[in-house]
Amino acid sequence: MFNTLRTDFEVIFARDPAARNWLEVLLCYPGLHALWLYRFAHALHNLRLPVIPRLVSQLARWLTGIEIHPGAVIGKGTFIDHGMGVVIGETAIIGDNALIYQGVTLGGTGKEIGKRHPTLGDNVVIGAGAKVLGNIEIGDNSRIGAGSVVLKSVPSDCTVVGIPGRVVHRHGEIVAPLDHSHIPDPEGDVIRGLLKRVEQLEKQHLESQKLASQQQKLTNTFVIDCELLKDVRPKNFSRNGTKPENDEFMEGAGI
Protein backbone atom coordinates (compact mmCIF):
# COMPACT_ATOMS: atom_id res chain seq x y z
CA MET A 1 0.00 0.00 0.00
CA PHE A 2 2.79 2.42 0.89
CA ASN A 3 4.56 1.79 -2.43
CA THR A 4 1.30 2.42 -4.30
CA LEU A 5 0.71 5.73 -2.51
CA ARG A 6 4.30 6.75 -3.18
CA THR A 7 3.94 5.92 -6.87
CA ASP A 8 0.73 7.97 -7.06
CA PHE A 9 2.68 10.90 -5.63
CA GLU A 10 5.81 10.60 -7.78
CA VAL A 11 3.99 10.15 -11.10
CA ILE A 12 2.62 13.69 -10.82
CA PHE A 13 6.10 15.17 -11.26
CA ALA A 14 6.64 13.06 -14.36
CA ARG A 15 3.34 13.98 -16.01
CA ASP A 16 2.49 17.51 -14.93
CA PRO A 17 4.90 20.32 -15.91
CA ALA A 18 3.16 22.58 -13.37
CA ALA A 19 4.26 20.41 -10.44
CA ARG A 20 7.12 22.40 -8.85
CA ASN A 21 7.65 21.02 -5.36
CA TRP A 22 6.41 18.23 -3.11
CA LEU A 23 4.52 20.51 -0.73
CA GLU A 24 2.50 22.09 -3.53
CA VAL A 25 1.62 18.66 -4.91
CA LEU A 26 0.72 17.35 -1.48
CA LEU A 27 -1.61 20.24 -0.67
CA CYS A 28 -2.99 21.44 -4.01
CA TYR A 29 -3.66 18.37 -6.19
CA PRO A 30 -7.26 17.11 -5.78
CA GLY A 31 -6.57 14.13 -8.03
CA LEU A 32 -3.99 12.89 -5.55
CA HIS A 33 -6.30 13.51 -2.59
CA ALA A 34 -9.15 11.66 -4.31
CA LEU A 35 -6.92 8.68 -5.12
CA TRP A 36 -5.57 8.38 -1.58
CA LEU A 37 -9.04 8.61 -0.06
CA TYR A 38 -10.27 6.07 -2.63
CA ARG A 39 -7.52 3.62 -1.69
CA PHE A 40 -8.52 3.90 1.96
CA ALA A 41 -12.20 3.41 1.08
CA HIS A 42 -11.30 0.51 -1.23
CA ALA A 43 -9.45 -1.23 1.60
CA LEU A 44 -12.52 -0.86 3.81
CA HIS A 45 -14.70 -2.10 0.96
CA ASN A 46 -12.57 -5.24 0.64
CA LEU A 47 -13.19 -5.83 4.35
CA ARG A 48 -16.92 -5.78 3.50
CA LEU A 49 -17.66 -2.99 5.92
CA PRO A 50 -21.09 -1.46 5.26
CA VAL A 51 -21.72 2.24 4.62
CA ILE A 52 -18.32 3.52 5.80
CA PRO A 53 -16.52 3.05 2.45
CA ARG A 54 -19.26 5.00 0.68
CA LEU A 55 -19.08 7.74 3.30
CA VAL A 56 -15.36 8.07 2.65
CA SER A 57 -15.98 8.27 -1.11
CA GLN A 58 -18.65 10.92 -0.56
CA LEU A 59 -16.22 12.91 1.57
CA ALA A 60 -13.66 12.70 -1.25
CA ARG A 61 -16.31 13.85 -3.70
CA TRP A 62 -17.20 16.82 -1.51
CA LEU A 63 -13.54 17.82 -1.09
CA THR A 64 -12.27 17.23 -4.63
CA GLY A 65 -15.22 17.04 -7.04
CA ILE A 66 -14.05 13.55 -8.02
CA GLU A 67 -16.35 10.57 -7.43
CA ILE A 68 -14.73 7.15 -7.26
CA HIS A 69 -16.77 4.21 -6.05
CA PRO A 70 -14.93 2.17 -3.40
CA GLY A 71 -15.52 -0.99 -5.42
CA ALA A 72 -13.53 0.23 -8.43
CA VAL A 73 -10.04 -1.19 -9.01
CA ILE A 74 -7.34 1.35 -9.87
CA GLY A 75 -3.72 0.42 -10.56
CA LYS A 76 -0.66 2.25 -9.32
CA GLY A 77 0.70 5.34 -11.03
CA THR A 78 -2.73 6.61 -12.09
CA PHE A 79 -2.87 10.39 -12.40
CA ILE A 80 -6.15 12.33 -12.37
CA ASP A 81 -5.24 15.79 -13.70
CA HIS A 82 -7.44 18.67 -12.45
CA GLY A 83 -10.15 16.07 -11.88
CA MET A 84 -13.32 18.10 -11.42
CA GLY A 85 -16.33 16.08 -12.57
CA VAL A 86 -14.53 12.74 -12.91
CA VAL A 87 -16.82 9.77 -12.19
CA ILE A 88 -15.54 6.20 -11.89
CA GLY A 89 -18.13 3.47 -11.43
CA GLU A 90 -18.25 0.55 -9.05
CA THR A 91 -17.04 -2.21 -11.37
CA ALA A 92 -14.55 -0.11 -13.33
CA ILE A 93 -11.00 -1.47 -13.59
CA ILE A 94 -8.08 0.84 -14.42
CA GLY A 95 -4.58 -0.45 -15.16
CA ASP A 96 -1.27 1.07 -14.18
CA ASN A 97 -0.08 4.53 -15.23
CA ALA A 98 -3.42 5.75 -16.55
CA LEU A 99 -3.86 9.48 -17.25
CA ILE A 100 -7.39 10.84 -16.72
CA TYR A 101 -8.43 14.44 -17.32
CA GLN A 102 -11.34 16.44 -15.93
CA GLY A 103 -14.94 15.59 -16.78
CA VAL A 104 -14.24 11.94 -17.63
CA THR A 105 -16.92 9.35 -16.92
CA LEU A 106 -16.24 5.63 -16.65
CA GLY A 107 -19.84 4.61 -16.31
CA GLY A 108 -22.43 2.01 -17.11
CA THR A 109 -25.22 2.00 -19.67
CA GLY A 110 -27.93 1.02 -17.20
CA LYS A 111 -28.71 -2.20 -19.11
CA GLU A 112 -26.33 -4.65 -17.48
CA ILE A 113 -26.01 -6.40 -14.13
CA GLY A 114 -22.71 -7.32 -12.55
CA LYS A 115 -19.67 -6.08 -14.47
CA ARG A 116 -21.14 -2.99 -16.12
CA HIS A 117 -18.27 -0.50 -16.21
CA PRO A 118 -15.19 -0.24 -18.45
CA THR A 119 -11.86 -1.98 -18.07
CA LEU A 120 -8.80 0.13 -18.96
CA GLY A 121 -5.40 -1.35 -19.73
CA ASP A 122 -2.02 0.08 -18.81
CA ASN A 123 -0.84 3.52 -20.00
CA VAL A 124 -4.28 4.60 -21.19
CA VAL A 125 -4.95 8.32 -21.70
CA ILE A 126 -8.50 9.65 -21.52
CA GLY A 127 -9.01 13.24 -22.66
CA ALA A 128 -11.14 15.86 -20.96
CA GLY A 129 -14.89 15.27 -21.04
CA ALA A 130 -14.65 11.81 -22.60
CA LYS A 131 -17.32 9.24 -21.72
CA VAL A 132 -16.45 5.54 -21.68
CA LEU A 133 -19.62 3.58 -21.03
CA GLY A 134 -20.52 -0.06 -20.53
CA ASN A 135 -18.65 -3.28 -19.93
CA ILE A 136 -16.02 -2.67 -22.59
CA GLU A 137 -12.23 -2.93 -22.70
CA ILE A 138 -9.75 -0.22 -23.64
CA GLY A 139 -6.45 -1.79 -24.66
CA ASP A 140 -2.99 -0.90 -23.42
CA ASN A 141 -1.44 2.37 -24.66
CA SER A 142 -4.71 3.54 -26.21
CA ARG A 143 -5.94 7.14 -26.14
CA ILE A 144 -9.47 8.49 -25.94
CA GLY A 145 -9.83 11.93 -27.48
CA ALA A 146 -11.36 14.80 -25.53
CA GLY A 147 -15.15 14.84 -25.70
CA SER A 148 -15.41 11.38 -27.26
CA VAL A 149 -18.13 8.89 -26.35
CA VAL A 150 -16.85 5.31 -26.42
CA LEU A 151 -19.39 2.50 -26.42
CA LYS A 152 -17.36 -0.35 -27.93
CA SER A 153 -14.13 -2.05 -26.97
CA VAL A 154 -10.87 -0.57 -28.28
CA PRO A 155 -7.77 -2.62 -29.20
CA SER A 156 -4.33 -1.78 -27.86
CA ASP A 157 -2.24 1.05 -29.33
CA CYS A 158 -5.21 2.87 -30.82
CA THR A 159 -6.74 6.31 -30.73
CA VAL A 160 -10.48 6.90 -30.47
CA VAL A 161 -12.20 10.14 -31.46
CA GLY A 162 -15.73 11.36 -32.14
CA ILE A 163 -19.31 10.71 -31.06
CA PRO A 164 -19.75 7.80 -31.11
CA GLY A 165 -16.06 7.02 -30.81
CA ARG A 166 -14.27 5.68 -33.89
CA VAL A 167 -10.94 3.90 -33.75
CA VAL A 168 -7.97 5.34 -35.60
CA HIS A 169 -5.30 2.65 -35.64
CA ARG A 170 -1.81 3.79 -34.80
CA HIS A 171 -0.24 0.50 -33.83
CA GLY A 172 3.46 0.64 -33.11
CA GLU A 173 3.74 4.45 -33.11
CA ILE A 174 5.18 5.99 -29.97
CA VAL A 175 2.97 8.78 -28.67
CA ALA A 176 3.81 11.15 -25.83
CA PRO A 177 1.25 10.64 -23.04
CA LEU A 178 0.66 14.38 -22.66
CA ASP A 179 0.08 14.88 -26.39
CA HIS A 180 -3.59 13.96 -26.19
CA SER A 181 -4.68 17.15 -28.00
CA HIS A 182 -2.91 16.21 -31.25
CA ILE A 183 -5.19 13.43 -32.40
CA PRO A 184 -6.57 12.58 -35.84
CA ASP A 185 -9.72 14.44 -36.87
CA PRO A 186 -11.49 12.30 -39.52
CA GLU A 187 -14.65 14.42 -39.46
CA GLY A 188 -12.62 17.58 -39.98
CA ASP A 189 -10.70 15.94 -42.83
CA VAL A 190 -13.96 14.98 -44.57
CA ILE A 191 -15.42 18.48 -44.16
CA ARG A 192 -12.26 20.10 -45.48
CA GLY A 193 -12.31 17.72 -48.45
CA LEU A 194 -15.94 18.58 -49.19
CA LEU A 195 -15.26 22.32 -48.98
CA LYS A 196 -12.33 21.95 -51.36
CA ARG A 197 -14.48 19.98 -53.80
CA VAL A 198 -17.25 22.60 -53.64
CA GLU A 199 -14.73 25.34 -54.45
CA GLN A 200 -13.48 23.35 -57.44
CA LEU A 201 -17.01 22.80 -58.74
CA GLU A 202 -17.89 26.47 -58.31
CA LYS A 203 -14.76 27.47 -60.20
CA GLN A 204 -15.59 25.05 -63.02
CA HIS A 205 -19.16 26.38 -63.14
CA LEU A 206 -17.98 29.98 -63.42
CA GLU A 207 -15.54 29.05 -66.18
CA SER A 208 -18.30 27.22 -68.05
CA GLN A 209 -20.61 30.22 -67.75
CA LYS A 210 -17.86 32.55 -68.99
CA LEU A 211 -17.13 30.30 -71.97
CA ALA A 212 -20.84 30.01 -72.84
CA SER A 213 -21.21 33.80 -72.68
CA GLN A 214 -18.26 34.28 -75.03
CA GLN A 215 -19.69 31.76 -77.48
CA GLN A 216 -23.06 33.52 -77.36
CA LYS A 217 -21.42 36.85 -78.18
CA LEU A 218 -19.60 35.32 -81.14
CA THR A 219 -22.80 33.76 -82.41
CA ASN A 220 -24.74 37.02 -82.14
CA THR A 221 -22.06 38.85 -84.18
CA PHE A 222 -22.90 36.87 -87.32
CA VAL A 223 -26.69 36.74 -87.02
CA ILE A 224 -28.48 37.42 -90.31
CA ASP A 225 -32.15 38.20 -90.20
CA CYS A 226 -33.67 36.58 -93.29
CA GLU A 227 -36.98 38.34 -92.71
CA LEU A 228 -35.31 41.73 -93.30
CA LEU A 229 -33.45 40.57 -96.40
CA LYS A 230 -36.28 38.91 -98.26
CA ASP A 231 -37.75 42.23 -99.48
CA VAL A 232 -34.44 43.87 -100.32
CA ARG A 233 -33.91 44.46 -104.07
CA PRO A 234 -30.90 45.82 -105.96
CA LYS A 235 -31.09 49.46 -107.07
CA ASN A 236 -33.27 50.16 -110.14
CA PHE A 237 -34.50 46.60 -110.11
CA SER A 238 -38.12 45.83 -110.83
CA ARG A 239 -40.00 42.72 -111.65
CA ASN A 240 -40.76 43.77 -115.24
CA GLY A 241 -37.31 45.24 -115.89
CA THR A 242 -38.44 48.89 -115.65
CA LYS A 243 -37.57 51.39 -113.03
CA PRO A 244 -40.48 51.81 -110.61
CA GLU A 245 -42.05 55.22 -110.15
CA ASN A 246 -41.41 55.30 -106.39
CA ASP A 247 -37.78 54.26 -106.74
CA GLU A 248 -36.41 56.83 -104.30
CA PHE A 249 -38.96 55.87 -101.66
CA MET A 250 -38.07 52.19 -101.97
CA GLU A 251 -34.40 53.06 -101.53
CA GLY A 252 -35.17 54.79 -98.23
CA ALA A 253 -35.29 58.43 -99.31
CA GLY A 254 -38.67 58.92 -97.69
CA ILE A 255 -41.76 60.51 -99.13
Side-chain angles (χ1 to χ4, degrees), residues 112-123:
E112 299 178 2
I113 299 175
K115 181 69 170 74
R116 60 190 184 278
H117 297 100
T119 297
L120 277 57
D122 297 337
N123 306 307

Side-chain angles (χ1 to χ4, degrees), residues 134-185:
N135 183 19
I136 61 177
E137 294 184 4
I138 309 298
D140 296 344
N141 307 309
S142 290
R143 298 187 302 163
I144 310 300
S148 300
V149 177
V150 183
L151 303 174
K152 296 181 180 180
S153 294
V154 178
S156 300
D157 302 291
C158 290
T159 299
V160 176
V161 296
I163 303 174
R166 290 180 295 277
V167 175
V168 180
H169 290 276
R170 302 182 66 186
H171 183 74
E173 181 179 348
I174 298 176
V175 180
L178 292 177
D179 197 26
H180 71 285
S181 61
H182 295 87
I183 54 179
D185 185 8

Side-chain angles (χ1 to χ4, degrees), residues 7-119:
T7 302
D8 293 339
F9 179 77
E10 292 176 344
V11 75
I12 295 176
F13 293 95
R15 293 197 164 187
D16 188 0
R20 295 179 176 86
N21 58 74
W22 67 269
L23 184 61
E24 179 179 308
V25 171
L26 191 63
L27 297 178
C28 303
Y29 275 69
L32 178 64
H33 304 155
L35 272 177
W36 281 358
L37 286 171
Y38 148 77
R39 296 199 187 283
F40 175 64
H42 183 66
L44 298 178
H45 176 80
N46 289 339
L47 295 175
R48 300 185 180 278
L49 292 178
V51 184
I52 297 177
R54 289 301 304 272
L55 287 176
V56 174
S57 68
Q58 289 300 306
L59 175 64
R61 178 185 180 185
W62 181 73
L63 292 174
T64 66
I66 300 170
E67 181 176 348
I68 306 176
H69 194 284
V73 177
I74 301 179
K76 63 181 181 180
T78 295
F79 177 33
I80 302 177
D81 197 3
H82 302 292
M84 179 62 70
V86 168
V87 177
I88 300 176
E90 178 183 10
T91 60
I93 300 175
I94 301 176
D96 296 337
N97 303 313
L99 177 57
I100 301 174
Y101 286 85
Q102 67 272 13
V104 167
T105 298
L106 304 180
T109 61
K111 300 179 180 179
E112 299 178 2
I113 299 175
K115 181 69 170 74
R116 60 190 184 278
H117 297 100
T119 297

Side-chain angles (χ1 to χ4, degrees), residues 237-244:
F237 176 79
S238 64
R239 295 177 182 177
N240 54 9
T242 60
K243 182 177 181 179

